[in-house]
Amino acid sequence: MSRSRERPYHHGDLRAALLSAALTLLRERGPDGITLREAAKRAGVSHAAPYHHFPDKSGLIEALAIACFEAFANALERAWLTAPGPSMERFRAVGLAYVQYGLDHPAEFRLMNRPELRHAPPTTDGAAREETAVAAAARKPYELLLTAIAACQADGFIAHGDREPLALTAWVSVHGLTVVLIDGLLGPATRKDGDRLAYQVTQTLGDGLLRR
Amino acid sequence: MSRSRERPYHHGDLRAALLSAALTLLRERGPDGITLREAAKRAGVSHAAPYHHFPDKSGLIEALAIACFEAFANALERAWLTAPGPSMERFRAVGLAYVQYGLDHPAEFRLMNRPELRHAPPTTDGAAREETAVAAAARKPYELLLTAIAACQADGFIAHGDREPLALTAWVSVHGLTVVLIDGLLGPATRKDGDRLAYQVTQTLGDGLLRR
DNA sequence: TGTACATCAGTGAACGCGCGTTCACTGATGTAC
DNA sequence: TGTACATCAGTGAACGCGCGTTCACTGATGTAC
């Protein structure tokens, strides 16, 4: 974000330090546990200092959510690019990576999917509401999914045609599994449980998606 | 809860009035917007009165969540019992009812699935943690799902065998779709969108589940 | 090299807010005699 | 029927809490001359 220097201006990079502190808070206390005052305290500054770097509390949280999405999208892309085997297997690997990332980073996953971050507040005038920055950051994972499906179509694993319904079903299932595991709706789940269930779900889905 | 009388004791049935006010608050402001003080105000009593009916704030919220689960389970059961056609169609009707209930009652749906309501706080002594009352209430919808799958197996639509993996995949997919629609992760969704997408998802799932 | 100045990141006191919870109390009701 | 009493639902003042945000300020830094 800011260029690196040996001993920079005042704190150095308070913006990054605040984001880092907020991430720690997020992991310790969940999305609602993030506090401007506590983030400032952990960054070693007074509680009014953050206002020089973020317009308000929601500004900090938005920036954090965007950073979370970037890390998440990178993890998925890595899975897609590095998984071995044919495209259908690499597609499944993305699904597994999705679930694993959620189990490894539950608080980030919850923050990323907070509905209030996706929708701009209603405009006072009649202007069309713009896409929020978080919503834009959320598009990358979904586009990767479409890419993967297109590759599976090109390789003959999935019938050609509109990708949206397929992507929707696949994404909804994997996302649903992740939510359910994170929230402990099936009881306490280990990462191994997640792998097993994700394999199960992608298998069942695959049977439904595969060309015959 | 309390027996009906013409003009009962003091307020009459403050407990029910508080639950009703809390439900209104839940719908207006979401789960975090529920406040003992505001619920008391809306029930027309002072803000200390609720302590005669609930041990504390979380007691009120737990009772509310349980009531929500009962209404939800009733809606699903009604769909299963009254939908026309063969069992596989009635199974799908339950999935549609699940999504519709979520879209019609988004705040209740969110409350029901709050993870902190499912898990008892860690015991100070080494005693085994008991299932929370909310977790017990959450079992009924899942059991209905198992019943439906069993019926589909009995009727030859689904291969015999362990029902758990099937139930898991089906539930996770439908739950995931509901979460995604409620949170607006696909953009604003109407109930009609929900119906269409739920049909799509259950169709794809069905292709994966159907015996061949 | 030195001086004056503009910039702006960080300080610390203060404000107002709504909240959960406690506590001594009040007052309406049901019941025993 | 009337009286004394026990019960307990509801009252209102108070406490302490952490929070977001504002504001006048201070002080370190970079830069123009």
Side-chain angles (χ1 to χ4, degrees), chain A residues 32 168 172-173 176-177 197 212, chain B residues 32 168 172-173 176-177 197 212:
Chain A
D32 289 331
L168 180 75
V172 146
S173 302
L177 174 61
L197 293 170
R212 316 172 235 256
Chain B
D32 289 330
L168 181 74
V172 145
S173 302
L177 174 62
L197 292 171
R212 315 176 236 256

Side-chain angles (χ1 to χ4, degrees), chain A residues 62 116-136 139, chain B residues 188:
Chain A
E62 274 171 32
E116 65 268 29
L117 294 177
R118 298 297 181 96
H119 310 292
T123 52
T124 51
D125 51 4
R129 53 195 160 219
E130 292 182 9
E131 186 183 50
T132 65
V134 174
R139 272 219 306 263

Side-chain angles (χ1 to χ4, degrees), chain A residues 76 80 87 90-91 94-95 98 138-155 158-171, chain B residues 186 200:
Chain A
L76 296 184
W80 171 245
S87 56
R90 291 163 57 220
F91 180 29
V94 174
Y98 195 106
R139 272 219 306 263
K140 203 179 162 196
Y142 193 74
E143 281 162 7
L144 176 64
L145 178 59
L146 290 176
T147 301
I149 292 182
C152 291
Q153 287 179 324
D155 293 350
I158 295 179
H160 282 80
D162 188 7
R163 284 190 285 279
E164 287 287 350
L166 303 182
L168 180 75
T169 303
W171 176 55
Chain B
L186 296 171
Q200 209 168 81

